[in-house]
Each structure stands twice: as C-alpha cells, then as structure tokens.
Amino acid sequence: MSKIKLFVAMLSVASAGAFAIDTITIEDIPKIKTVVQSAVSPSGELVAYTRSLPRELYVDKNGRNYVELYLTDDKGVSRPFITGKVNVSSLEWSVDGQYIYFLAKFDKEKYTQLYRIPVNGGERQKVMGLKNSSISRYDISPDGKQVAILAMPAKDKSEKKLKELGFKAEVYEMGLKNKQLYVTDLVIKEQPVELDAYKVTGYVSDMNWSAQGDQLLIKTQPTALIDDSYTKGQWHVMNVEDQKITMSIATEGKLGSAEFSYDGKHIAVIGAEDKHDPAAGRLYLADVKTGEITDWLPNFAGHVSDIEWSHKSAKLNFIAQVGTESIVANIKPGSNKYKTQIKAGKIIASNLSLSNSDKTLVVKGHTAKHPNEVFLVRGKKATKLSDSNPWLKDKKIAKQESITIKARDGVEVGGILVYPLEYQQGKRYPLIMQVHGGPESHEKNGWVTAYSKPGQMGAARGYAVFYPNYRGSTGKGVAYSKLGQNDYAGKEFDDLVDMKKHLVDIGLVDSKRVGITGGSYGGYASAWAATKLTEHFAASVMFVGISNQLSKFGTTDISNEMHLVHARSYPWDKWQYYLERSPIYWAHQSKTPLLIMHGKDDPRVHPAQSMEMYRYMKVQGKDVRLVYYPGEGHGNRKVAAQYDYSIRLMRWMDNYLMDGNNEMPDYKVDHKANLAAKKPTEKAHTADK
C-alpha cells in the first residue's frame, strides 16, 4: 500500500474529532444529553424536568444512560435536584405545588417505588412501595388525596425457588400475568404495602383521573402480548367507589391516549381510523353522557400525537405532526376547526403539560440545532428554558432542509436533507440514505443525529445525509400512511431510488457513491437495496431488519399487527409473493457489500432474520458481515453497544464510499486501546478523591 493510501485509510478509521474539534464526531454522540420529560407546576412558574446523563464509555458499567431531575423557573434558571447515577421517571406535581413526585429505585432497592422531593429544599422522601413488585405508573387524584397505581402482581417466591431447582419450562405465550390497577390513599407509608387490585378484566396499561376524582379512565387489552397492545386496546370509564365500568369507548384499531375534559362532559381520544390504519393519530371526541364518539378532525392531513385539556375552559390543547414539522394547537367541542398556537417550523414538539391557569404550556422540543429541550409557551411565543448541551454552540452545524419531489407515478414523497458541512455548489458528494422503520413513522425536521443516524456527524465527514419519508410514512394523513400496504418492498422502496435520482439530478450526489442504512423496516429497505436494488447502492448497513417475509411472520411478536396494517394478507394466501418480496430471494444478484447488525434478544424481528440474510449472502460469495449484540433487543439501548454500532456503521460507509475500497474493512474495533487510554484518567480521578 502506498503512503498516500495508508494515510487516507488511517484518516477514515480515526475519529473526525482528532482533526476538527469544531465538528460533531462519533465520540460526541454518546455525550449528548436530552430532556426526557417536562412537567409544569400548577402555578406555571416552575418546570420540573428529567434529563439523560450519559454513561462514560470504558469507565461506567454496561447499561443505559442515567436520568437526573432538574427544576427551572420560567426565566430558564435551572437547579439540579437529584443527580448522579440515578434513574428518575414519571414526574407529577403535588396539588399545592410544594412537591415533585417521581418513580425511582435508590440504595440498592429491588423494586421501583414512589418518591417525592420538596421544591423549597430538603431530602427526597419515599412515599410508598409495593411488596414484591415495582410501580410502573401512577396518577395522583385532582384533590391530592389518592393515587392510582399500575403494577404487576407480586412475585411468588416459590417461582424463584423452583427455577433454582431446575424447573424452568416455558409454555410460549401462556401463563402471562396481567398488570393491575390499585387505588390507595396518598400518604407516607414506611413499609412496602400489599393492596387489593381493582376488578378489571385483562391487562391494564394506562389510566387517568377525572377532574372531579370520582371516575377513572382505564385502558385495557386482553393479555400482556405486544400484539394485543397494538390491535386490541380499549378505554373504559370506571366509577372509583364501586369499581363499575359505565362506558367503553369503541374505537377500532390502534389506540393512543385518552383524557377527561375538566367539566367531565367529554373524553378526547387519540385513535385510528379503522383496524387497517397503521398509526394512532386520529383525534376523537366522546360524549360521556351518550357514549357517542365522533371524528373531531375529519380528513386531517397529519397525525395528532399528544393531548391535554384546559382547566378553565372546554378547550383541548394538542400536538400534531404535519409533514416533517409539528404544531401546537387547540380546539373546542362542537367545532372541527382548530387554532394554531405554535406554527409549523418552530420546534418538533412533544410531551404537553399545562398550568392550572391555562396560561403556561410546557413541551419538550428539538430543532435542527439541538436535541430535546424544555420549551415554555405563553400566547404564541415558545421560549427555550434548558440548555443541556452548551458545547453544541461551538460546533459547526450543516445546512438542513425538508424537500419534496414526485415519485415516478406522481405520488408526492420527500424527506430531510442534511448537506455536507463544507458544501460547495457544483461538487458531488457521497450520500448516506437513512431509512426510518415502521413504516408507520416519519422523519421530522429537527435533531436527526443519533448512534444509528449519521446526521450532523455524517455531514461533518463530508457526506450528504438524506432521511426519506417514503409512501406509507405518517404525518400526511391516514390515506397516505396506507399507500404501502399489500405491497411489501414495492413502490415504497422504489421511492428510495426516485429520491436518490433526484439528489443526483440536482448535482449534489455522486450516483456511484450512495450508501443506505436503517433499522427494522428500514433494515428491510437496506437489505432490499443490497439485493433487488443492488445497482443503485454501493454499500448497505442493515439493522434489526427483515430478510424473509415468510419466516418473519412466524417468528415475530406482532404477526396480527403485520397482517392488519402492513401485509393485508397471510403468507399462506400467496407464498410465492412473500418469497419474492424477501431480500434472500435476490441475494444471488447482490453486488452491494452488506453489514448486518442485530440485537440478540430482539422479540420484534427475530435475530434469525439476520442469520438467514448472512447465510444466503455468504454461501454465494457475497461481501457480508454479521454482528450480534447480546442483551440488546429491537435497537441498541445500552451505551457501549450504541457506540460500537456507530463505529462499525461509519467505518463501513467510509470504506466503500469515501475510500473506494473493494475489500471489507477489519471486523475488529480496538476497544482495548480505548480502555487503556482511559486508565490514567481513572487513576487521576481516584487520586483526587
């Protein structure tokens, strides 16, 4: 190898951070903090929020990021409340605004318990815990005197003993336990308590109090199966006193959140249009007295994602995803017209929270320049209160925009384009196409950089990065989200080629240097691109993806959902069709080097899908590599696995798209060297203590 080629190879493998500290690198991604939840106080003057605390690579034990608790005033002055190696979740304010309630485990506790911490100073207090079970969700009654709790039944000690003795037989999908509903007084309980579960049939997955505190909205499904949660959920109205269900909300298909209006006359529900609607994004209004349910926003060309009733008026506040943007708006019963409070293009909003006066609304939101932060909304003005990553201000951010084109058959498609950081008009660049999963989701014009998404990090390395919203994506109404049904890998993936062609035609992209990647359904697209569409893509990275639609149906935990909102048929109805819509069928013609990565404990897309793809490619002499991540499921959650993934993803793309190599890159990642480099830091830290 010549000295020049050797230098180029070293440059692509090494971190971009070693050469340009003012750009976003692979090493920056694990350091990014993000707001997880925000909750405004009853007065509207304070906001409690949780924020991720990244684990330190090669130092901290394996696991997910920690989650800390902070408090900010409405001027953006933040105070740390519970920090360090903790995991705080599910924030709620006390009725008087004096305490913040939350769920957590401390001091080697075995089960998650309910805590509170005073706002004006003082230590956290354990409020209550259950005997031999974790609290998974809670909701405090409007008067602050009671709390509704969701938890699994207490574990039977004999089960553990029998397992120790070797009795471990598992009958698949049988013997599942249902999560239960409990209601108890909200008082300090020193010892773990045993509560009597409410008489609810099935698995309880969510609940909300009525404003009067005499009723509960409870969401159920027949069993704990994820397929039931997708396709068989239902909301009910229950009287708290006698535990009788007085009304069931009969919507068909996927079901989201629901909430009582503060006058108790209505219930707002996020649901689906029908059983074939791939996403819960329709807004419904139910009359509590008559039980009548109506489509509140008929033909809405977007997807409603969060709702919160006003306290002082019969007005529902909501967040909706419209195209690649989001809006914050409100609507009143009796009208199908909504008023926009935060227009599209400001922030990508989620997690609504409303003060008692209705004058202060809080959301978390992200933009092209930063991940999720706390935003306070008064009137039509949104003010950012938190700044989780001040170091991002010193980083160069590449140009990003939403684009729209017409596919070959005239259907409008588009996505998010991140330009190369030092973009020069007239120069062609390598492209990484990042395909979203679902397909019932969509890419938003906000922060698009993560461990599996090159985004700004890819742009800093000289790539154009494109996030396509192919037909079947959400954000444009139900009809659009159904366009890919009964056509696996058909026109939906032809859209990817059409969008690539557009980027080539406008002079931005080098057609011979295009890579593709994605997870889940995006992994399916990546495998399809490496086989059936191989002439269009020079490199592919498939993550938790589908390789065989026949065996996928028989090994997933969402086969019913697949049938209803994706395939609209069963494999035995058309075996050959399913086979021909599988990447393994086309592996023989592949010319695209394929890197496959998969969580070894994935219940959604069985890891055998990746093994099939690998074996079909390997036996036929194709360039393919398979990486499994033990302990990970449908996507990597733990920091070390995420970092390893980022390195392998970008090394694969750099090898083929930047360096023009024909051989696969080394399969090893030198974590040993990084570990050794950390040791002096650890020793110095110990000495400081």
Side-chain angles (χ1 to χ4, degrees):
M1 181 181 287
S2 69
K3 290 183 178 180
I4 294 175
K5 286 187 176 180
L6 178 62
F7 175 75
V8 172
M10 290 172 62
L11 182 65
S12 70
V13 173
S15 163
F19 303 95
I21 60 172
D22 60 348
T23 62
I24 295 175
T25 70
I26 288 178
E27 281 68 37
D28 289 325
I29 294 175
K31 298 174 184 176
I32 292 172
K33 299 178 181 180
T34 184
V35 169
V36 180
Q37 183 195 356
S38 56
V40 67
S41 66
S43 68
E45 297 175 354
L46 299 171
V47 181
Y49 66 96
T50 54
R51 186 169 70 194
S52 64
L53 172 67
R55 289 182 183 246
E56 188 175 357
L57 288 165
Y58 305 105
V59 174
D60 287 331
K61 288 184 178 180
N62 189 33
R64 301 185 183 194
N65 285 339
Y66 301 105
V67 181
E68 302 177 310
L69 174 63
Y70 288 82
L71 186 71
T72 181
D73 63 18
D74 56 3
K75 303 295 189 298
V77 179
S78 286
R79 287 184 285 158
F81 259 56
I82 300 176
T83 59
K85 296 181 178 182
V86 297
N87 283 290
V88 175
S89 65
S90 305
L91 304 181
E92 281 196 30
W93 284 85
S94 62
V95 175
D96 59 10
Q98 298 302 306
Y99 294 92
I100 302 167
Y101 285 83
F102 60 92
L103 296 179
K105 288 191 290 187
F106 294 109
D107 305 322
K108 298 182 181 180
E109 292 170 336
K110 190 174 182 180
Y111 301 107
T112 301
Q113 305 184 62
L114 179 61
Y115 281 84
R116 72 179 186 182
I117 189 168
V119 172
N120 294 323
E123 296 296 317
R124 66 175 185 262
Q125 300 170 298
K126 185 189 296 183
V127 178
M128 71 178 65
L130 300 181
K131 195 170 183 179
N132 298 321
S133 187
S134 288
I135 298 173
S136 65
R137 171 141 164 56
Y138 72 97
D139 193 26
I140 298 171
S141 63
D143 61 7
K145 295 180 179 180
Q146 291 184 293
V147 59
I149 291 170
L150 296 185
M152 297 300 290
K155 294 183 178 179
D156 187 339
K157 291 183 178 179
S158 64
E159 291 182 13
K160 181 179 179 181
K161 182 63 178 177
L162 287 168
K163 285 184 178 180
E164 291 174 352
L165 294 171
F167 296 94
K168 301 179 181 180
E170 298 177 358
V171 182
Y172 191 63
E173 294 188 347
M174 298 298 292
L176 301 175
K177 295 180 179 179
N178 287 331
K179 189 175 288 185
Q180 296 176 319
L181 170 68
Y182 307 88
V183 177
T184 187
D185 293 336
L186 185 61
V187 294
I188 301 293
K189 296 178 172 68
E190 297 292 340
Q191 299 298 322
V193 297
E194 291 185 86
L195 301 174
D196 293 327
Y198 269 37
K199 300 169 185 175
V200 181
T201 301
Y203 181 103
V204 186
S205 59
D206 202 358
M207 80 293 187
N208 286 302
W209 287 93
S210 68
Q212 293 72 30
D214 59 341
Q215 293 179 309
L216 276 168
L217 266 174
I218 57 171
K219 187 181 182 185
T220 67
Q221 59 193 63
T223 74
L225 295 174
I226 189 71
D227 221 354
D228 280 357
S229 73
Y230 281 160
T231 62
K232 298 180 181 179
Q234 198 167 17
W235 281 101
H236 313 273
V237 176
M238 171 186 277
N239 288 332
V240 176
E241 186 176 352
D242 59 12
Q243 302 181 29
K244 288 185 177 179
I245 290 176
T246 60
M247 171 185 171
S248 294
I249 299 173
T251 60
E252 186 183 47
K254 292 185 177 180
L255 195 59
S257 58
E259 188 175 311
F260 277 108
S261 63
Y262 280 84
D263 60 12
K265 295 180 180 179
H266 300 95
I267 299 171
V269 184
I270 298 177
E273 183 179 84
D274 54 39
K275 64 183 179 181
H276 300 303
D277 188 345
R282 302 296 91 203
L283 181 60
Y284 290 94
L285 184 66
D287 188 300
V288 174
K289 187 175 182 180
T290 65
E292 182 183 1
I293 301 169
T294 57
D295 186 347
W296 205 349
L297 286 174
N299 303 314
F300 178 61
H303 280 78
V304 175
S305 57
D306 199 7
I307 53 176
E308 184 82 13
W309 284 96
S310 295
H311 298 75
K312 305 296 183 182
S313 65
K315 181 172 68 176
L316 182 78
N317 305 279
F318 67 90
I319 295 173
Q321 312 302 323
V322 182
T324 59
E325 307 290 348
S326 70
I327 63 169
V328 179
N330 58 72
I331 189 171
K332 292 182 178 181
S335 172
N336 297 130
K337 295 182 179 180
Y338 61 87
K339 293 182 179 180
T340 302
Q341 195 166 350
I342 301 298
K343 295 180 180 179
K346 300 294 183 181
I347 57 174
I348 304 299
S350 61
N351 188 201
L352 272 175
S353 181
L354 197 64
S355 70
N356 284 352
S357 68
D358 299 333
K359 293 180 180 179
T360 302
L361 189 151
V362 166
V363 298
K364 65 178 185 180
H366 60 94
T367 72
K369 295 185 177 181
H370 64 77
N372 273 321
E373 299 287 1
V374 179
F375 281 83
L376 180 143
V377 180
R378 286 177 178 158
K380 294 190 174 184
K381 183 181 179 182
T383 303
K384 184 161 74 75
L385 297 184
S386 63
D387 186 8
S388 303
N389 304 282
W391 53 272
L392 278 177
K393 294 184 179 68
D394 298 324
K395 299 288 185 177
K396 294 179 180 178
I397 301 296
K399 177 184 175 182
Q400 177 176 314
E401 65 182 7
S402 178
I403 66 170
T404 301
I405 69 164
K406 285 190 176 181
R408 64 191 70 176
D409 61 355
V411 171
E412 190 177 88
V413 295
I416 308 301
L417 174 62
V418 183
Y419 287 81
L421 183 59
E422 304 296 341
Y423 169 66
Q424 298 175 22
Q425 191 169 1
K427 181 179 177 180
R428 292 189 180 271
Y429 295 87
L431 169 72
I432 299 176
M433 185 176 286
Q434 168 74 49
V435 187
H436 69 71
E440 63 275 15
S441 64
H442 68 282
E443 297 292 352
K444 305 171 185 66
N445 191 18
W447 185 255
V448 293
T449 306
Y451 80 94
S452 63
K453 295 183 173 184
Q456 291 292 333
M457 181 268 294
R461 295 164 83 99
Y463 290 97
V465 184
F466 183 62
Y467 297 79
N469 285 326
Y470 49 98
R471 70 188 69 197
S473 301
T474 52
K476 298 177 73 172
V478 177
Y480 190 87
S481 69
K482 289 182 177 181
L483 287 179
Q485 293 181 359
N486 195 25
D487 189 22
Y488 273 144
K491 293 179 181 178
E492 59 187 5
F493 292 167
D494 289 343
D495 290 345
L496 306 179
V497 175
D498 292 349
M499 286 185 271
K500 173 209 165 180
K501 183 178 182 299
H502 169 76
L503 296 175
V504 171
D505 289 347
I506 64 174
L508 174 65
V509 168
D510 181 344
S511 65
K512 301 298 183 182
R513 293 193 294 159
V514 177
I516 187 169
T517 185
S520 193
Y521 210 83
Y524 177 33
S526 301
W528 192 253
T531 54
K532 183 64 168 69
L533 302 176
T534 186
E535 71 270 22
H536 299 287
F537 298 94
S540 177
V541 177
M542 168 189 179
F543 188 34
V544 295
I546 303 157
S547 67
N548 183 346
Q549 287 290 4
L550 291 168
S551 58
K552 162 63 162 50
F553 184 88
T555 55
T556 186
D557 60 355
I558 56 166
S559 54
N560 194 36
E561 193 245 8
M562 283 177 60
H563 162 66
L564 289 173
V565 305
H566 299 158
R568 300 291 291 269
S569 64
Y570 290 110
W572 47 86
D573 293 330
K574 41 186 184 180
W575 289 102
Q576 188 63 28
Y577 163 86
Y578 273 71
L579 181 60
E580 291 182 15
R581 297 302 173 101
S582 301
I584 58 166
Y585 186 81
W586 304 98
H588 65 280
Q589 68 178 32
S590 176
K591 297 179 182 178
T592 306
L594 177 64
L595 172 62
I596 307 168
M597 295 190 274
H598 210 130
K600 224 173 180 182
D601 298 323
D602 188 350
R604 197 79 7 92
V605 178
H606 196 279
Q609 287 291 304
S610 286
M611 177 61 76
E612 283 193 58
M613 192 72 227
Y614 172 79
R615 195 59 71 197
Y616 271 73
M617 295 277 283
K618 185 73 172 179
V619 169
Q620 298 184 76
K622 309 301 180 180
D623 285 344
V624 63
R625 178 170 295 153
L626 172 59
V627 180
Y628 276 137
Y629 290 99
E632 296 290 356
H634 197 56
N636 292 352
R637 300 292 184 266
K638 297 172 184 174
V639 178
Q642 291 182 340
Y643 179 59
D644 183 272
Y645 181 97
S646 297
I647 292 172
R648 295 181 188 278
L649 166 66
M650 294 313 301
R651 184 168 62 181
W652 196 263
M653 295 300 182
D654 286 352
N655 184 69
Y656 295 106
L657 308 183
M658 285 288 189
D659 304 339
N661 292 329
N662 294 320
E663 301 295 324
M664 289 189 289
D666 192 354
Y667 74 92
K668 297 176 183 177
V669 175
D670 198 356
H671 293 302
K672 181 179 178 180
N674 290 340
L675 178 63
K678 279 286 184 180
K679 285 183 179 179
T681 304
E682 287 184 271
K683 289 178 181 178
H685 183 65
T686 303
D688 289 341
K689 285 186 174 180

